[in-house]
């Protein structure tokens, strides 16, 4: 069945591409994958993840993104049907699934409001497509049926995160070490938030493991190298914040020693110092000056053009919020800020501050539903980290807890919840977290002793 179905999908997709062109490839695969979900829901989930991770960008909405979004919403409906028939045993997981459904109901309300404000469906979809990845919290635990598959998916996606991060670091190294061979990868995930996730994944693993695990050391090293090489200040600040949150979390964990915390501080210092030393080598003056000039702007943010643009965006968003505080103006609203930079001369629905953006577009109701979902996921992860005896589960829980918490803080100055590349990573984390708990409940139920018919008759 697997071979026949795979060949049929590839042949059909190839035929459509030959007849109509590559733009219809995603559309055809998405439709076929939706049909496949009726037979093999888990395969359809993997198909969505592969399609979404390879979309070219999140700047606009075209047929590929609409088809992929439609596939996810179809899986979301199937998953909710599954939970209605077979509700999860864990009470907190049930609450988290209901919280996710409530948030997407508020998104539908926002669609109705957007239509009354003459906002187009494309504009609305541009805002909703990134948020739709949060539905993976409901979809993944419903469609992944075997405990071993959870571990496979965890390492698979950590590997993809590491590959994309390594590609980013390798590309940036070309500025100070020219002449190295270049390669390209098809995945578009994480954006500027990916280095932070890699740092958190590595350091949480180092903290939870009783020995030196070079997989975790490698993840954190890739994240640190990318952070130091980029001239994006948000990455610098968010990475520093993430390391601080890991150390703060370790203070309450009795398994963590001073030696472990010392290693977490020593690794960034050694890597950052080595890279800066290479930057000082002859021939790299331009790279070093660019980094230094960006760092100098942190001393006087009030006069920085990028900071001024962010403040202008927040002022406009809050003015809209004051006019429509309950449900907002609707997802899809196009901001009109035209100050400071040519890039913002045309209206767009992009705002650097996540809370201000959703207060303007979804009001108190929608914003409260969104952030309550994420805060509930943080508490859910904390409970799993404290109670699970399994190292991989504790690592995933700590990784999710600190990664989501840091994203909420950094979302005040750079959009985390408005970018499809970033919400893909967050959605996968939420989905793996929920799947881990759901499968743990299934395993416990399977291991419980059951009375035979003879034993039941004897006891009666």
């Amino acid at each position: 069945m697997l071979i026949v179905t795979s060949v049929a999908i590839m042949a059909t997709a190839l035929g459509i591409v030959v007849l109509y062109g590559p733009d219809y490839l995603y559309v055809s695969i998405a439709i076929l994958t939706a049909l496949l979900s009726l037979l093999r829901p888990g395969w359809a989930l993997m198909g969505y993840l592969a399609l979404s991770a390879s979309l070219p960008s999140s700047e606009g909405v075209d047929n590929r993104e609409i088809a992929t979004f439609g596939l996810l919403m179809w899986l979301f409906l199937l998953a909710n049907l599954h939970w209605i028939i077979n509700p999860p045993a864990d009470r907190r997981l049930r609450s988290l699934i209901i919280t996710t459904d409530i948030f997407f109901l508020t998104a539908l309300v926002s669609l109705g409001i957007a239509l009354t404000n003459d906002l187009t469906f494309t504009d609305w979809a541009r805002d909703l497509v990134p948020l739709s990845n949060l539905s993976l919290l409901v979809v993944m635990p419903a469609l992944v049926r075997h405990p071993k598959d959870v571990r496979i998916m965890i390492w698979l996606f950590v590997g993809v995160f590491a590959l994309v991060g390594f590609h980013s670091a390798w590309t940036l190294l070309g500025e100070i070490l020219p002449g190295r061979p270049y390669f390209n990868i098809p995945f578009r995930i994480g954006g500027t938030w990916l280095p932070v996730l890699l740092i958190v994944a590595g350091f949480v693993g180092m903290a939870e493991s009783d020995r030196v695990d070079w997989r975790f050391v490698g993840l954190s090293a890739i994240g640190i190298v990318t952070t130091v090489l980029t001239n994006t200040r948000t990455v610098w600040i968010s990475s520093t914040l993430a390391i601080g949150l890991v150390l703060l979390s370790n203070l309450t964990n009795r398994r963590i020693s001073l030696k472990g915390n010392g290693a977490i501080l020593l690794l960034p210092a050694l890597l950052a110092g080595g890279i800066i030393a290479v930057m000082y080598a002859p021939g790299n003056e331009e790279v070093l000056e660019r980094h230094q000039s960006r760092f100098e702007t942190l001393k006087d943010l009030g006069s920085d053009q990028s900071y001024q643009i962010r403040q202008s965006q927040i002022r406009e968003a809050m003015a809209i919020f004051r006019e429509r505080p309950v449900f907002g103006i609707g997802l899809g609203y196009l901001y009109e800020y035209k100050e400071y930079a040519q890039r913002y001369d045309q209206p767009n629905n992009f705002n650097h501050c996540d809370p201000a953006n959703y207060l303007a577009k979804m009001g108190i109701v929608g914003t409260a539903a969104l952030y309550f979902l994420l805060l509930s996921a943080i508490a859910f992860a904390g409970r799993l980290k404290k109670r699970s005896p399994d190292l991989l589960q504790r690592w995933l829980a700590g990784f999710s807890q600190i990664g989501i918490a840091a994203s909420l803080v950094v979302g005040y100055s750079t959009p985390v919840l408005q970018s499809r590349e970033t919400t893909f990573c967050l959605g996968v984390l939420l989905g793996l977290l929920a799947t881990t708990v759901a499968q743990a409940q299934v395993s416990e139920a399977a291991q419980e002793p059951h009375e035979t018919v003879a034993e039941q008759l004897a006891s009666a």
Side-chain angles (χ1 to χ4, degrees):
M1 176 65 73
L2 174 61
I3 295 174
V4 171
T5 305
S6 301
V7 171
I9 290 177
M10 289 187 292
T12 305
L14 180 62
I16 293 175
V17 170
V18 171
L19 289 175
Y20 300 104
D23 289 343
Y24 289 88
L25 177 62
Y26 281 80
V27 178
S28 59
I29 294 180
I31 294 174
L32 292 170
T33 305
L35 296 175
L36 176 64
S37 66
L38 299 175
L39 299 175
R40 292 291 185 271
W43 298 357
L45 170 63
M46 294 301 294
Y48 165 76
L49 294 173
L51 286 174
S52 182
S54 58
L55 285 170
S57 70
S58 62
E59 295 298 325
V61 173
D62 55 20
N63 291 334
R64 292 170 292 185
E65 288 199 336
I66 291 295
T68 308
F69 165 75
L71 171 60
L72 178 59
M73 290 298 99
W74 168 246
L75 297 178
F76 184 53
L77 291 175
L78 292 180
N80 274 293
L81 180 62
H82 167 82
W83 292 126
I84 292 173
I85 299 173
N86 303 293
D90 187 89
R91 176 176 59 84
R92 289 178 175 81
L93 180 57
R94 289 200 303 271
S95 299
L96 201 57
I97 290 172
I98 293 172
T99 301
T100 307
D101 289 336
I102 290 174
F103 165 68
F104 281 98
L105 285 176
T106 63
L108 289 178
V109 173
S110 182
L111 171 60
I113 295 172
L115 294 176
T116 62
N117 292 327
D118 298 326
L119 299 176
T120 67
F121 177 79
T122 300
D123 294 329
W124 184 79
R126 168 63 185 85
D127 272 344
L128 187 62
V129 164
L131 291 174
S132 66
N133 280 314
L134 300 181
S135 68
L136 290 172
L137 187 152
V138 176
V139 173
M140 290 180 67
L143 303 187
V144 178
R145 303 293 173 81
H146 302 287
K148 290 183 179 180
D149 292 343
V150 181
R151 291 180 174 267
I152 293 173
M153 292 185 70
I154 289 174
W155 287 115
L156 174 63
F157 284 102
V158 168
V160 173
F161 294 165
L163 175 62
V164 177
F166 180 79
H167 176 261
S168 301
W170 191 255
T171 304
L172 291 168
L173 277 171
E175 297 182 356
I176 61 174
L177 297 174
R180 87 281 184 271
Y182 181 74
F183 68 96
N184 199 6
I185 58 175
F187 301 113
R188 298 291 180 270
I189 62 172
T192 57
W193 190 238
L194 187 61
V196 180
L197 293 178
L198 290 171
I199 290 173
V200 173
F203 283 157
V204 170
M206 291 169 61
E208 292 292 338
S209 181
D210 296 329
R211 58 184 177 83
V212 177
D213 192 323
W214 293 104
R215 293 174 298 181
F216 295 133
V217 175
L219 287 173
S220 56
I222 293 172
I224 293 167
V225 171
T226 306
T227 297
V228 176
L229 288 174
T230 184
N231 61 357
T232 303
R233 296 168 303 181
T234 301
V235 177
W236 298 344
I237 297 172
S238 56
S239 296
T240 304
L241 171 66
I243 295 173
L245 288 175
V246 173
L247 293 173
L248 182 63
S249 174
N250 290 346
L251 293 177
T252 61
N253 190 340
R254 294 181 179 180
R255 292 189 300 271
I256 306 303
S257 63
L258 291 175
K259 184 187 297 184
N261 285 333
I264 291 175
L265 288 173
L266 184 61
L267 182 61
L270 290 176
L271 287 175
I275 293 172
I276 293 173
V278 173
M279 286 183 180
Y280 271 102
N284 295 324
E285 292 86 356
E286 182 180 349
V287 177
L288 181 61
E289 290 176 1
R290 184 166 65 247
H291 278 66
Q292 288 176 335
S293 63
R294 294 291 287 175
F295 184 79
E296 289 294 327
T297 59
L298 293 174
K299 299 179 181 179
D300 186 15
L301 284 176
S303 60
D304 180 66
Q305 185 181 82
S306 178
Y307 178 80
Q308 293 171 351
I309 291 172
R310 282 166 167 78
Q311 296 305 305
S312 175
Q313 294 172 354
I314 292 174
R315 285 193 296 270
E316 180 178 350
M318 296 312 295
I320 297 169
F321 169 67
R322 285 191 291 270
E323 294 178 1
R324 299 169 179 255
V326 180
F327 291 105
I329 199 170
L331 290 172
Y333 172 77
L334 301 176
Y335 291 104
E336 298 289 345
Y337 42 77
K338 300 180 180 180
E339 301 179 43
Y340 310 113
Q342 184 177 359
R343 176 182 176 185
Y344 302 102
D345 281 347
Q346 298 298 323
N348 62 81
N349 52 6
F350 177 82
N351 191 307
H352 278 83
C353 180
D354 281 339
N357 176 72
Y358 290 112
L359 282 172
K361 295 179 180 179
M362 302 186 73
I364 294 176
V365 174
T367 306
L370 173 60
Y371 281 89
F372 183 75
L373 165 62
L374 297 173
L375 291 173
S376 299
I378 293 173
F380 185 80
R383 175 175 173 268
L384 176 63
K385 183 180 177 181
K386 289 181 179 180
R387 298 191 176 189
S388 177
D390 184 76
L391 171 62
L392 185 61
Q393 290 183 5
R394 291 200 311 270
W395 166 78
L396 176 65
F399 175 26
S400 303
Q401 185 182 39
I402 298 176
I404 297 170
S407 71
L408 295 182
V409 177
V410 178
Y412 278 90
S413 67
T414 190
V416 175
L417 300 174
Q418 302 172 62
S419 169
R420 180 185 53 77
E421 291 92 337
T422 304
T423 57
F424 177 83
C425 294
L426 292 177
V428 168
L429 279 181
L430 293 171
L432 289 174
L433 187 67
T435 305
T436 298
V437 173
Q439 290 300 330
Q441 296 290 326
V442 172
S443 300
E444 291 175 4
Q447 292 174 1
E448 290 180 356
H450 298 281
E451 289 185 328
T452 63
V453 175
E455 290 171 337
Q456 293 174 1
L457 291 174
S459 62

